[in-house]
């Protein structure tokens, strides 16, 4: 019997599942991994994820999610939106130590807000079990969590830009403009993710209502203590595979006293003890974040101190999905927060 954590990745043939496997296979505390897939059951993991061939010759299991969760220290759910709430009862009945869901099913405690963006919830009774796992903000507060809802990819970038501003006295609704690569749409091809439609092209989607706005609003209202606080997320498809670039724009009625030394110093202070947020003195570039669990941030304040722009670059599959989920696992279980996550990016890519 192998020592170390016994982990299951459910939905392991997808892009987020593959990223979890890549990182978990190099995690020093992980002993045994079962990777489930309905469509790939019995096939080598390296068929769906060829880059993992040097790390594993294991095959996908066809176990049901409930079976896969039995006897597991940690279960990651990397399923299409709505599936994890449908499966939640079976998973919890299996008694795993920690469940980490990468979908949006359990990210929003306010059911009215959830249903406004996602429709009816399949298992509202399980929502209270979950802690929203924005790892770079919560840090050690995740210790002991037994169920974690990993934030969405756009929502992670948006909230890392927003969080330090909760008490900065923003005058108008903060606006968050993000562009993502095609891997954000998952492994199943669709007309809007087809290469000829996507290469050399940029287009907005989910106009006036991208679903990640719900969790951004949920956090922003909690942080500001204002149940009516607004934040606007505008999302776009970009002609690359990995990575999200997001810019926040906000206005103040006067220069915030907390930014007397400038916006960079303010963001450096906010993230002083956070290992995976790097505050830069110039605008980040997407390819400097790709492949890593780091979020790269730059903040700039206008000369009159009334206008702020904040840029965030992250890898949607690492910081925005598998990497942050493993960071949350590390924090929940009391491991070194960076265990298995220290790889830097792969510039140029
Ligand atoms: N892609 C990103 O950048 C990203 C970032 C953050 C969060 N997420 C979230 O992570 C989740 C997965 O995203 P993804 O991009 O990896 O999607 P994906 O590539 O479409 O993969 C989802 C996988 O889930 C499996 N699945 C679905 N229903 C299942 C069931 N009932 N039982 C077992 N397996 C099932 C499918 O595999 P089989 O059909 O083989 O079982 C599929 O490969 C989504 O909720 C997404 O919103 C994605």
């Amino acid at each position: 019997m192998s020592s170390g954590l016994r982990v299951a990745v459910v939905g392991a043939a997808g892009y987020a599942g593959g990223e979890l496997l890549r990182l978990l296979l190099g995690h020093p505390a992980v002993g045994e991994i079962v990777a489930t897939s309905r469509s790939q059951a019995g096939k080598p993991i390296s068929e769906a994820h060829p880059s993992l061939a040097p790390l594993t010759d294991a095959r996908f299991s066809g176990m049901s999610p409930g079976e896969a969760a039995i006897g597991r220290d940690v279960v990651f759910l990397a399923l299409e939106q709505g599936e994890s709430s449908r499966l939640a009862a079976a998973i919890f009945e299996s008694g795993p130590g920690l469940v980490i869901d990468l979908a949006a099913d359990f990210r929003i405690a306010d059911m009215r807000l959830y249903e406004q963006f996602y429709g009816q919830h399949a298992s509202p009774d399980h929502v209270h079990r979950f802690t929203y796992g924005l790892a770079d903000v919560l840090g050690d507060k995740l210790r002991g969590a037994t169920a974690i809802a990993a934030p969405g990819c756009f929502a992670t970038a948006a909230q890392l830009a927003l969080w330090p501003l909760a008490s900065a006295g923003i005058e108008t609704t903060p606006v968050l403009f993000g562009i993502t690569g095609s891997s954000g749409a998952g492994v199943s091809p669709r007309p809007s993710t087809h290469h000829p439609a996507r290469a050399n092209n940029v287009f907005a989607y989910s106009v006036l209502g991208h679903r990640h706005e719900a969790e951004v609003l949920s956090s922003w209202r909690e942080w500001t203590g204002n149940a009516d606080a607004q934040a606007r997320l505008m999302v776009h498809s970009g002609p690359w595979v990995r990575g999200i670039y997001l810019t926040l724009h906000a206005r103040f009625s006067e220069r915030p006293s907390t930014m007397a030394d400038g916006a960079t110093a303010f963001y450096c202070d906010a993230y002083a003890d956070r290992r995976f947020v790097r505050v830069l003195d110039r605008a980040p570039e997407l390819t400097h974040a790709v492949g890593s669990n780091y979020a790269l941030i730059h903040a700039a304040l206008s000369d009159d101190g009334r206008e702020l722009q904040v840029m965030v670059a992250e890898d949607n599959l690492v910081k925005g999905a598998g990497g942050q989920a493993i960071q949350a696992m590390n924090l929940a279980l009391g491991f070194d927060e960076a265990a298995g996550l220290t790889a830097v990016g792969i510039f140029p890519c």
Side-chain angles (χ1 to χ4, degrees):
M1 205 169 110
S2 63
S3 59
L5 289 178
R6 288 163 55 85
V7 175
V9 178
V10 179
Y15 286 156
E19 201 61 14
L20 283 165
L21 293 178
R22 180 175 77 86
L23 296 166
L24 290 167
L25 284 164
H27 193 294
V30 171
E32 182 194 294
I33 304 172
V34 62
T36 79
S37 164
R38 297 165 306 179
S39 64
Q40 308 298 313
K43 294 188 187 162
I45 287 173
S46 57
E47 254 183 46
H49 305 302
S51 67
L52 302 187
L55 298 179
T56 181
D57 54 7
R59 292 172 182 268
F60 287 106
S61 162
M63 271 192 262
S64 73
E67 285 172 315
I70 294 171
R72 296 287 141 185
D73 299 302
V74 188
V75 175
F76 291 94
L77 303 174
L79 305 170
E80 287 99 336
Q81 172 59 28
E83 284 294 296
S84 37
S85 43
R86 213 175 51 74
L87 298 166
I91 300 222
F92 283 116
E93 258 168 47
S94 299
L98 170 62
V99 176
I100 302 184
D101 183 26
L102 278 79
D105 299 42
F106 299 105
R107 291 178 190 158
I108 298 152
D110 176 345
M111 267 303 110
R112 273 198 308 183
L113 184 60
Y114 179 91
E115 288 180 357
Q116 183 189 331
F117 283 84
Y118 292 93
Q120 203 175 357
H121 199 287
S123 59
D125 292 349
H126 290 291
V127 175
H128 73 278
R129 290 172 174 262
F130 284 80
T131 304
Y132 185 65
L134 189 61
D136 296 301
V137 167
L138 283 189
D140 288 334
K141 294 194 184 105
L142 280 169
R143 184 73 183 266
T146 54
I148 292 171
C153 46
F154 272 121
T156 297
Q159 289 169 99
L160 293 179
L162 268 177
W163 174 65
L165 301 174
S167 53
I170 291 181
E171 188 182 39
T172 52
T173 298
V175 172
L176 301 136
F177 177 104
I179 313 186
T180 185
S182 54
S183 62
V187 73
S188 301
R190 279 181 287 163
S192 62
T193 57
H194 193 41
H195 182 74
R198 191 109 189 191
N200 308 315
N201 204 3
V202 172
F203 50 92
Y205 67 101
S206 300
V207 174
L208 290 171
H210 189 272
R211 287 171 155 189
H212 288 188
E213 194 171 287
E215 61 197 274
V216 173
L217 284 174
S218 178
S219 296
W220 187 233
R221 289 171 182 174
E222 183 193 324
W223 295 334
T224 56
N226 174 1
D228 298 319
Q230 297 295 327
R232 195 38 125 178
L233 178 63
M234 300 183 294
V235 305
H236 302 74
S237 292
W240 57 83
V241 174
R242 270 183 190 248
I244 284 178
Y245 200 92
L246 177 137
T247 300
L248 172 149
H249 184 262
R251 293 195 70 83
F252 307 106
S253 51
E254 57 186 30
R255 180 190 297 274
S257 58
T258 46
M259 291 191 203
D261 294 331
T264 305
F266 174 76
Y267 271 76
C268 278
D269 278 356
Y271 288 111
D273 60 347
R274 307 309 306 143
R275 285 160 77 173
F276 289 108
V277 180
R278 297 195 60 231
V279 180
L280 311 179
D281 58 9
R282 68 182 78 109
E285 295 185 31
L286 189 68
T287 57
H288 300 182
V290 166
S292 82
N293 191 48
Y294 292 92
L296 308 180
I297 295 189
H298 173 65
L301 195 61
S302 60
D303 287 346
D304 66 1
R306 295 191 55 205
E307 181 185 356
L308 179 74
Q309 295 185 15
V310 183
M311 299 102 221
V312 182
E314 66 166 30
D315 186 318
N316 57 299
L317 288 175
V318 189
K319 177 87 281 170
Q324 178 165 219
I326 290 169
Q327 188 182 348
M329 174 192 85
N330 289 340
L331 288 161
L333 299 182
F335 296 125
D336 174 7
E337 179 175 0
L341 297 171
T342 49
V344 294
I346 50 169
F347 175 83
C349 64

